Amino acid sequence: MMRNYWLLLLFFYALIFGKQANAQPTPDSAAYITVDLNQEVGPMKPVWAWFGYDEPNYTYMKDGKKLLSELAQLSPVPVYVRTHSLLVTGDGTAALKWGSTNAYTEDANGKPVYNWAIIDSIFDTYVKRGMKPLAQIGFMPRALSTHPEPYRHYWKPGDPYTDIITGWAYPPKDYDKWRELVYQWVKHSVDRYGKKEVESWYWEVWNEPNGYYWKGTRDEFFKLYDYAADGLKKALPTAKIGGINIAGTGGKTATEWTTQFIEHCISGTNYATGKKGAPLDALLFHAKGSPKLSNGVVRMNMSPQLRDISAGFKMAASYPETKKLPLIIGESDPEGCAACGMATNPENAYRNGTLYSSYTAATFARKYLLADRYQVNFLGAVSWSFEFENQPWFYGFRDLATNGVDKPVLNVFRMFGMMRGDRVKVDGNRMLPLQTVVDSSIRKNKTEIGALAAKAPKSAAVMVWNYHDEDKQGSAESVTLTVTGVPAKVVTVKVYLIDRDHSNSYEVWKKMGAPQSPTTVQFATLEKAGKLQCIQVKKQTVRAGEVKLPLGLQRQAVALVTLNW
């Protein structure tokens, strides 16, 4: 009897301790990321290679051209660019949240006068760099507006946002002239750039018609769209046009606007032709997060942005006619006003440093997962951030560079540009489930250490981030990255890093004493600090198809590990 007792006791000890010996690390254990190159989950589309901004005249200015050249170099495929105010009346003077091209005026007899010089200088800048316009048909020229005065605004940070809404936001007084304007613009574009080039662009009508940007009714907007699409298709039947670039996509009003717009395009009576339906070659909508200042600390919130994306994807998936259409998130950002700096909007203080870069990494990973969930044709997400010419250094605008010096967030896009092929399965003990982030962002006690991975025929790339909504710094945590299914015996490993000490012009600028007029030597130092830094290059033996790498990630850090064989 005693012998049986001891045997039974030994059995339970073996069971308990054997389980502990074979147990996987718990969430409280050291962080790990596991990537399986043999489990593909979807294409690594360059959905991030889309950028936009309010001020079109910055395009051909000194720092604008420099940044566009850098953006053009990011991607293996053409980068798309969207900008407002391409049809606004004025002399081309650049200002915050303002731009003009003077494309349309009228003579004393009311006859249209077309002038494409400024639009050409904008589109020439893109095309010469191999970029493509996401060409916005808007806003209303003064001579066509039903309420032309006041027209030019002089908004500045801190002023009420509604001050920007002037005569350009109203419907046309003559829809036939509106249609002819679009026809002439597209025809001119074909003459200048060639049919094949213009066929590769996307065109869209207006911006956020359910918000500040449209002073007409919903039906008047559908009419505006129909006449614009009719003019475009008459000039180039194969041109691609879409809409609706709705604001606050997940809200009740936005949902009503979008569903009615889709149904109008499918089966409504076309205002311009009297026929059934309207052209719809792409569906566009907006998605924004919502940072707040809490006890002096910025707290991000990606949930509203992801819920907007989820709502847009869900609406597209609910109609057979739109389920496979290209979907473009026409603006996809942590919040809404790029030109609202941190001096007037302290909740925007995230923009200069590594909180913005790590937020960008963590949100784009979820955009891919939401597209997988709804099985939609996700084409691109426009980061509404560019540069602001001749403005104070690191003012806290939502931009990618300041005075010609790249900010940390731009280096995340450089990392994305090195991720090719197909996305593959990622597991991690500190990575939150998709629905948790959609519902409540990333604000638990611990930071998220997550990853996005892709595999090409002769390479693999893994982006790893250490992110939390609260803008607090933290020392480096040890992360073990394991990549399995590597089809080689030896790989070249490179590690790129964005944190307080790497790929970070902002920290270098602060250590200089935050100069507003850097010397030539200081500028060169800042320019170098703004580039993506590679911190390690080595050859590594692959054992049984597996590569194991230790990483050290500060809070808000983003690393890219590439394997080449």
Side-chain angles (χ1 to χ4, degrees):
M1 184 77 177
M2 183 64 68
R3 181 173 177 275
N4 290 339
Y5 168 79
W6 286 111
L7 286 173
L8 188 62
L9 190 62
L10 286 170
F11 170 77
F12 279 114
Y13 268 105
L15 185 66
I16 292 168
F17 286 107
K19 279 187 175 180
Q20 289 180 346
N22 295 315
Q24 293 295 317
T26 67
D28 294 324
S29 305
Y32 71 83
I33 294 290
T34 303
V35 175
D36 186 350
L37 299 185
N38 290 325
Q39 294 197 49
E40 297 176 1
V41 297
M44 183 68 201
K45 289 183 178 180
V47 298
W48 50 269
W50 298 66
F51 299 93
Y53 44 102
D54 290 79
E55 300 86 0
N57 305 103
Y58 288 157
T59 302
Y60 48 79
M61 296 175 75
K62 176 176 64 70
D63 291 336
K65 283 185 173 181
K66 180 180 180 180
L67 180 54
L68 286 167
S69 294
E70 292 181 318
L71 296 181
Q73 294 165 7
L74 295 177
S75 175
V77 299
V79 171
Y80 279 81
V81 189
R82 176 179 186 253
T83 185
H84 292 335
S85 301
L86 289 172
L87 296 177
V88 168
T89 304
D91 61 5
T93 299
L96 296 178
K97 299 195 73 67
W98 173 260
S100 60
T101 66
N102 225 40
Y104 180 94
T105 55
E106 293 181 358
D107 65 16
N109 298 316
K111 183 180 178 180
V113 177
Y114 304 105
N115 183 345
W116 309 115
I118 294 178
I119 286 183
D120 286 347
S121 65
I122 294 168
F123 282 11
D124 286 355
T125 305
Y126 301 153
V127 172
K128 286 177 181 176
R129 288 162 175 75
M131 307 173 97
K132 307 286 184 184
L134 170 51
Q136 186 179 107
I137 302 172
F139 298 117
M140 196 57 60
R142 178 189 269 128
L144 276 181
S145 175
T146 52
H147 292 77
E149 301 301 335
Y151 194 78
R152 171 73 161 92
H153 71 71
Y154 295 90
W155 181 91
K156 62 184 184 301
D159 290 348
Y161 195 83
T162 51
D163 285 2
I164 74 168
I165 309 303
T166 57
W168 57 261
Y170 285 85
K173 62 184 182 183
D174 187 323
Y175 281 90
D176 288 325
K177 286 184 175 180
W178 169 251
R179 170 169 50 193
E180 184 67 15
L181 166 59
V182 177
Y183 169 81
Q184 293 293 341
W185 183 14
V186 178
K187 180 178 179 296
H188 169 78
S189 299
V190 173
D191 292 341
R192 186 173 184 84
Y193 304 107
K195 177 173 178 285
K196 184 177 180 181
E197 173 63 31
V198 180
E199 284 177 333
S200 69
W201 303 355
Y202 282 88
W203 299 77
E204 42 128 359
V205 180
W206 223 255
N207 178 69
E208 297 185 350
N210 64 322
Y212 295 122
Y213 285 76
W214 177 243
K215 300 298 288 184
T217 66
R218 194 176 303 175
D219 286 337
E220 284 174 322
F221 176 76
F222 294 167
K223 185 175 181 180
L224 183 88
Y225 181 89
D226 289 352
Y227 273 81
D230 192 49
L232 177 137
K233 293 289 186 177
K234 284 181 178 178
L236 181 62
T238 50
K240 295 176 288 191
I241 191 167
I244 183 177
N245 266 315
I246 209 73
T249 305
K252 182 177 181 293
T253 302
T255 300
E256 291 172 354
W257 268 81
T258 304
T259 54
Q260 288 184 25
F261 173 73
I262 291 172
E263 290 166 4
H264 171 76
C265 290
I266 293 171
S267 59
T269 301
N270 189 297
Y271 284 97
T273 67
K275 298 178 180 178
K276 179 182 175 181
L280 185 63
D281 304 304
L283 190 65
L284 300 95
F285 59 90
H286 292 181
K288 304 285 186 176
S290 182
K292 304 291 183 186
L293 198 66
S294 177
N295 298 320
V297 176
V298 175
R299 174 179 271 200
M300 308 298 285
N301 186 1
M302 61 179 68
S303 289
Q305 184 179 359
L306 296 176
R307 287 196 293 266
D308 281 345
I309 294 170
S310 183
F313 286 172
K314 185 177 181 180
M315 280 188 280
S318 64
Y319 294 89
E321 295 87 351
T322 57
K323 184 174 177 61
K324 298 302 180 184
L325 275 186
L327 302 186
I328 302 168
I329 309 171
E331 294 178 24
S332 188
D333 306 292
E335 36 64 41
C337 177
C340 298
M342 61 187 182
T344 55
N345 297 74
E347 70 277 9
N348 291 341
Y350 74 89
R351 293 164 162 183
N352 287 329
T354 49
L355 185 57
Y356 191 7
S357 45
S358 54
Y359 177 101
T360 301
T363 50
F364 265 94
R366 270 63 190 215
K367 295 173 194 180
Y368 284 108
L369 294 177
L370 286 171
D372 294 342
R373 171 182 286 182
Y374 291 103
Q375 297 184 318
V376 292
N377 181 14
F378 178 28
L379 186 64
V382 178
S383 294
W384 199 255
S385 49
F386 185 53
E387 66 94 20
F388 292 85
E389 204 88 15
N390 301 319
Q391 296 293 329
W393 283 79
F394 292 102
Y395 182 76
F397 291 124
R398 193 175 68 235
D399 49 11
L400 304 173
T402 176
N403 290 280
V405 169
D406 300 336
K407 294 166 73 170
V409 65
L410 181 53
N411 286 312
V412 172
F413 293 104
R414 289 192 169 106
M415 289 179 171
F416 279 130
M418 289 187 271
M419 302 183 75
R420 313 284 174 84
D422 292 300
R423 288 177 290 119
V424 293
K425 186 179 179 183
V426 173
D427 288 310
N429 63 335
R430 290 269 294 277
M431 189 166 183
L432 298 178
L434 171 61
Q435 196 56 49
T436 299
V437 183
V438 172
D439 291 341
S440 55
S441 197
I442 300 175
R443 30 181 77 184
K444 294 187 177 180
N445 291 334
K446 287 197 172 186
T447 60
E448 178 186 63
I449 295 177
L452 175 70
K455 177 188 71 173
K458 292 288 185 178
S459 65
V462 185
M463 181 185 287
V464 188
W465 58 83
N466 185 353
Y467 174 79
H468 193 277
D469 279 352
E470 285 193 343
D471 190 9
K472 295 179 180 178
Q473 296 292 340
S475 57
E477 290 195 62
S478 296
V479 182
T480 300
L481 171 64
T482 303
V483 183
T484 64
V486 181
K489 294 182 179 180
V490 178
V491 295
T492 300
V493 177
K494 291 185 179 181
V495 181
Y496 302 84
L497 185 62
I498 308 166
D499 63 10
R500 287 193 304 276
D501 308 306
H502 303 90
S503 315
N504 193 331
S505 60
Y506 183 50
E507 291 298 325
V508 173
W509 178 75
K510 288 193 293 183
K511 289 174 183 176
M512 286 179 175
Q516 283 298 326
S517 299
T519 66
T520 301
V521 173
Q522 286 176 322
F523 181 86
T525 301
L526 290 169
E527 193 174 32
K528 182 179 179 181
K531 303 304 181 185
L532 179 61
Q533 186 174 344
C534 181
I535 64 166
Q536 186 180 55
V537 181
K538 67 176 182 177
K539 294 280 187 181
Q540 182 153 335
T541 301
V542 180
R543 303 187 185 281
E546 181 177 291
V547 173
K548 194 178 291 286
L549 297 164
L551 297 173
L553 288 184
Q554 298 172 8
R555 182 166 170 149
Q556 300 184 2
V558 183
L560 183 77
V561 178
T562 64
L563 309 179
N564 286 272
W565 56 84

